[in-house]
Amino acid sequence: MNIILLGPPGAGKGTQAKRLIDRYGIPQISTGDMLRAALKEGTPLGLEAKKFMDQGTLVPDSVVIGLVKERIQKPDCAKGYMLDGFPRNVSQAESLDAMLGELKQRIDHVVSIEVPSSELLARLTGRRTCRACGAGFHIKFDPPKKDAVCDKCEGELYQRDDDNEATVSSRLQVYEGQTKPLIDYYEKQDKIRRVDGVGDMNEIFGLIVKVLG
Ligand code: AMP
């Protein structure tokens, strides 16, 4: 099963993807995570991406399309995969369709996680992630027991560089202008499965599993 997780920044795509991995045994392919890993390693691609990520704009299509094309051909994707944060605009979606055509693959479901924009700024600016295990917290909505310490592994919690208010505003604008039109794009292919992304994380997970059938 090949799935796209679609939704604004802060909709909970990454959180739900981590649970879906266990449920369906398919990998999460997050272009954001891949770019952050490249940046941490200091590769030329990571350094090139940094300026766009810091501004909250999209890195060039050619960069992310190349990353995805290579990744979906790895052996762990043979039974399917979950794309998180890709495609991010119509041109990436068209490239993905062309790529999947060549590989004789298809997207089965596009899960659209819907959260009103009024909620997103607070969700994003309060996010904290564990450096060691990647677990996610929120200083207000899901606080760790000890300040800045991961409940699961005692790792250090940090705030993503692009979760500051200025960059978040730009990311939300990019979503509205460039990514949201993908709902129409995939609606025409009859692949959109809408899920209400407000409420308890377990309930939202249940809704996703239900729409995936
Ligand atoms: P994310 O972790 O998905 O919120 O992505 C963080 C940042 O990485 C975005 O604001 C973009 O700068 C960049 N990025 C991630 N995925 C893509 C993509 N598919 N196309 C272009 N830029 C991306």
Side-chain angles (χ1 to χ4, degrees), residues 1-2 24-27 74-81 108:
M1 179 162 61
N2 300 331
Y24 294 102
I26 55 176
K74 295 251 162 86
D76 66 332
C77 292
K79 280 198 293 183
Y81 46 81
D108 301 294

Side-chain angles (χ1 to χ4, degrees), residues 9-10 13 30-33 35-36 49 52-61 64-65 68 84-89 92 124 127 160 162 167 171 174:
K13 298 185 295 295
S30 156
T31 41
D33 284 351
L35 294 169
R36 278 184 290 278
F52 300 98
M53 296 170 83
D54 284 348
Q55 288 167 0
T57 54
L58 297 182
V59 307
D61 291 348
V64 285
I65 290 164
V68 171
D84 162 11
F86 179 91
R88 212 60 164 233
N89 57 29
Q92 291 181 15
L124 288 159
R127 284 205 301 204
R160 266 173 53 169
D162 60 351
T167 311
R171 288 162 64 204
V174 167

Side-chain angles (χ1 to χ4, degrees), residues 23-149:
R23 172 86 183 206
Y24 294 102
I26 55 176
Q28 168 199 16
I29 300 179
S30 156
T31 41
D33 284 351
M34 290 161 98
L35 294 169
R36 278 184 290 278
L39 182 56
K40 204 168 154 198
E41 281 171 32
T43 66
L45 186 146
L47 297 175
E48 154 81 1
K50 180 177 163 44
K51 48 181 190 273
F52 300 98
M53 296 170 83
D54 284 348
Q55 288 167 0
T57 54
L58 297 182
V59 307
D61 291 348
S62 56
V63 172
V64 285
I65 290 164
L67 285 176
V68 171
K69 186 163 191 182
E70 202 181 304
R71 182 66 187 86
I72 62 173
Q73 295 184 71
K74 295 251 162 86
D76 66 332
C77 292
K79 280 198 293 183
Y81 46 81
M82 226 181 317
L83 296 173
D84 162 11
F86 179 91
R88 212 60 164 233
N89 57 29
V90 169
S91 138
Q92 291 181 15
E94 287 168 351
S95 297
L96 176 67
D97 279 343
M99 186 192 307
L100 295 177
E102 275 172 34
L103 297 170
K104 308 246 179 313
Q105 294 183 2
R106 64 192 292 269
I107 295 298
D108 301 294
H109 306 283
V110 179
V111 179
S112 171
I113 306 182
E114 308 196 334
V115 175
S117 50
S118 54
E119 275 225 11
L120 297 169
L121 187 68
R123 280 194 183 199
L124 288 159
T125 52
R127 284 205 301 204
R128 299 293 183 271
T129 311
C130 174
R131 258 188 223 290
C133 74
F137 296 86
H138 191 284
I139 51 172
K140 204 155 134 209
F141 309 132
D142 181 21
K145 291 196 186 79
K146 268 193 268 173
D147 210 20
V149 177

